[in-house]
Amino acid sequence: MTDHDEAATVRPLTLAWVNRHLEVGERIVRTVALHGGITAEMRRLTIGGRDGGTRDLVLRTFVDVEHAEDWLNREAGTLTLLTETGVPAPGLVAVDATAAHCEYPSLLMTHLAGRTVLGDEGLDTRVPLLARQLVAIHALRPAERPREYVALTTADTVVTPRGADAAAWAAAIDVIRGPAPPYEGRFLHRDFHPGNVLFDDVVSPSPAGPRIAGVVDWVQTSWGPADLDVAHCSTNLALLHGPAWGLRFAEAYEEAGGELASVVSERLYWQVRDPLAFSEEVQWVAQSWREAGRAELTTRAVEERLDAYVTTLMDALG
């Protein structure tokens, strides 16, 4: 087994657990750490077979994460559910949510071809694809609903960036002090954004351009308002590419047939709640994007875009 860096090394108990879930004659021939995540260690395992061929699996490990058992059980259930749908997602191989066999809670799944694309080039083509994919996810109606969504911030935990528009942020914080608006429940990914969407690497001769090859990271699957998923992807796009793209994604979602809150004040509640939640973890988000190749996205740069986006939302919807 070839380890390209220390982060790629699979711990002994986990390695033994993975080996028990391989086919007869298979072995791990290569491990590579996958970067860009915040809460989990991710590794791609190349598996060699007796015939000389290879296949790839992905190992997710949560180290000292409070909700690891819940998240991994939820992801395992969701991956099983998605095999019967048209939503492209990894296949479940095995899960050890309580670390009964591994050093830490872990999940083993199939590897999807494709790559995340976080650069500005081609964004006008990718945004409608992202929107259509999210509409398809929200259209799922499982026999057993996932748990109700959990809000990621409160009015009292928001961290206003230094130098931010104080009036806009105060108004935004006041918006989420009130109760959540009524909503029609939908099946939510709950962490849908460009970093969790894989695009194929095949250059398409069609004018349609690229296609989505997979959607990953289903640990926070929930039931709640479509606006919440849209707001999360919108915020990511605004911070990666500029505030206008946050607004554009909401438009693209509706153009794709998705339905958002019809009352402006209700839409504002969901749209502003997500960037306010980002205020508490800007440093970690910026770091993950730099590791993924966006070196210019320093913590300060992301803070400035976050401020600009909150201000834009309050001007547009407030």
Side-chain angles (χ1 to χ4, degrees):
M1 179 171 56
T2 301
D3 295 323
H4 289 255
D5 54 54
E6 184 178 352
T9 304
V10 180
R11 298 175 180 87
L13 292 178
T14 305
L15 180 61
W17 175 75
V18 170
N19 283 327
R20 289 198 294 274
H21 292 282
L22 301 182
E23 297 176 6
V24 176
E26 287 188 326
R27 62 189 181 90
I28 301 173
V29 297
R30 185 169 184 255
T31 69
V32 177
L34 302 177
H35 299 289
I38 297 177
T39 57
E41 296 177 354
M42 303 291 292
R43 298 173 177 85
R44 186 175 76 242
L45 313 179
T46 299
I47 312 300
R50 288 185 298 184
D51 61 356
T54 63
R55 65 187 179 108
D56 288 335
L57 299 176
V58 173
L59 175 67
R60 179 198 294 280
T61 300
F62 283 115
V63 178
D64 299 328
V65 175
E66 181 181 359
H67 302 291
E69 179 179 355
D70 175 49
W71 286 355
L72 288 184
N73 280 330
R74 200 180 323 170
E75 181 161 42
T78 301
L79 295 184
T80 300
L81 163 71
L82 293 175
T83 60
E84 303 174 0
T85 72
V87 175
L92 176 67
V93 176
V95 62
D96 181 15
T98 61
H101 307 285
C102 305
E103 284 85 354
Y104 298 100
S106 301
L107 183 143
L108 188 65
M109 61 191 129
T110 59
H111 174 266
L112 297 176
R115 62 189 179 93
T116 57
V117 184
L118 302 182
D120 293 334
E121 185 177 357
L123 187 58
D124 56 340
T125 298
R126 295 196 306 277
V127 163
L129 295 179
L130 291 169
R132 288 199 291 272
Q133 183 62 75
L134 192 55
V135 170
I137 291 170
H138 291 166
L140 297 177
R141 295 293 182 270
E144 183 177 347
R145 292 181 180 178
R147 75 165 191 181
E148 201 75 8
Y149 80 94
V150 175
L152 300 179
T153 193
T154 70
D156 296 325
T157 58
V158 173
V159 180
T160 303
R162 57 189 174 92
D165 185 325
W169 277 75
I173 292 170
D174 280 343
V175 168
I176 68 168
R177 287 191 189 278
Y183 61 85
E184 183 177 353
R186 291 285 185 270
F187 184 91
L188 306 182
H189 181 284
R190 198 63 179 97
D191 196 19
F192 185 88
H193 61 81
N196 282 333
V197 177
L198 305 176
F199 287 86
D200 64 11
D201 290 318
V202 179
V203 177
S204 173
S206 167
R211 68 177 182 86
I212 290 177
V215 181
V216 299
D217 199 354
W218 295 87
V219 299
Q220 297 189 54
T221 304
S222 310
W223 189 261
D227 292 76
L228 202 54
D229 261 358
V230 172
H232 190 61
C233 192
S234 293
T235 303
N236 276 271
L237 289 169
L239 301 187
L240 282 165
H241 310 292
W245 287 104
L247 298 180
R248 172 65 190 121
F249 183 73
E251 294 174 352
Y253 179 82
E254 292 185 300
E255 290 167 1
E259 296 182 4
L260 297 174
S262 58
V263 179
V264 174
S265 61
E266 294 178 357
R267 184 175 298 202
L268 176 63
Y269 177 92
W270 301 114
Q271 283 288 81
V272 80
R273 171 172 280 285
D274 198 82
L276 294 184
F278 264 77
S279 74
E280 301 172 35
E281 53 185 26
V282 170
Q283 178 181 347
W284 312 115
V285 171
Q287 179 180 330
S288 71
W289 286 338
R290 290 196 301 275
E291 291 175 351
R294 293 292 303 271
E296 79 281 11
L297 292 180
T298 63
T299 298
R300 184 57 186 153
V302 175
E303 284 180 336
E304 290 173 348
R305 285 190 174 181
L306 182 61
D307 175 40
Y309 184 49
V310 168
T311 302
T312 298
L313 285 175
M314 296 308 297
D315 288 343
L317 301 174

